Amino acid sequence: MEFSAKAKKVNRGMLVLAIGGMVLSFVQCVSKHQVTTSATVGINSDKGLKDYYKDYFPIGVAVSMASLHGADSALIVKEFNSVTPENDMKMGPIHPSENVYNWKNADAIVDFAVSHHIKIRGHNLCWHNQEARWMFKGPNGEPVTKELLLQRLKDHIFAVAGRYKGKIYAWDVVNEAVDDSDDTTQVYRNSNWYKTCNGPDFIDSAFKYAHEADPNAKLYYNDYNSEHPVKREKIYKLLKKLIAGHAPIDGVGMQAHWKLNDPSPEELSKALDEVTSLGLKVQFTEMDITIRLPKPNPISGTIPAATAVPDSGYTPQAEARQIAQYKMAFDMIRQYKKFITNVTFWNVSDRSSWLDGRGGGLMGGAAAGANTPRVVRKAYPLLFDENRQRKKAYWAVVDF
């Protein structure tokens, strides 16, 4: 009896210890994972995105003047260690006429970043959108010559890149110069730059001028849909041409305006393999993943509904797919960390995304230049919700 009683006491003690261990483990697990809903965590948590990725690459965000104050500012300083001016360094806004430069906003963004020890990406030096239209007119209003246009481009790049020399570590030198169509013979976009120069000489020239203006800045070609097979191959041809011509290019910016089903893992890895095979670095420069998908075509013989279907918004199903797509992307991006030098999100939170005014972003990067009505439809594309709280997708990105 005495032995049996002792055994029971030992067993009870072991049982208590076991239960205690299980409870502790459960509490630790809950403590770790209960922050997976945005309502339970604020921006004052111990680590930011930049801290999770400190051994990989800088994590950036596109900013405007409005981002430099208040809640957005606090979130930026907490989460990011790189910023990109969303619009304030583009040619049209910063250089609206030949002898006029609007430095105020760009200077403010640079000063904010420098004061918080945040790296700066410059965006951009040459683009077919938000271009300075005066550049394409000659002294008497006639179409500008190629020679004068390239001189103006040089003057612009020397002024802008030169002003921020030593403060901006990387530039998107040329933006979206590759054609979007499925015509494999048409490599370059038929822009005003291309037409005036009668070819792509402006691309090579822009890289040359940027390097002369700031020899230490890293120089990138930037484009969207760079994972789509046809455009991917066109970009690859451009890159090989630049390298063969000894253009001072350091890497490629893949904009990463993605969707819940695009790109596929295979498309993303193929694009990365092609660029890195040329010895170039990669930056993901404008990342967002809209929850919007194209509407299915109506069934043959049926008539589409006359009334609009109510917007279901950020449903659990859309959330789950967004989480999965972000996880897929970052799992792969980390695998290529020796080639990737930055990942930047395009806007701070779902409170305000550039895609919201463009139908929720169904056109991806092409929406920036689309001549279509600005239909407001929330895209919910980022890692922070409308209250600037971390979404579940955030934790999928940092859970490694």
Side-chain angles (χ1 to χ4, degrees), residues 360-374:
L362 288 178
M363 294 182 66
N371 187 22
T372 56
R374 294 297 192 224

Side-chain angles (χ1 to χ4, degrees), residues 18 34 76 131 259 285 324 339 344:
Q34 72 182 148
I76 290 167
E131 60 194 6
K259 301 180 180 66
T285 55
F339 302 108
T344 288

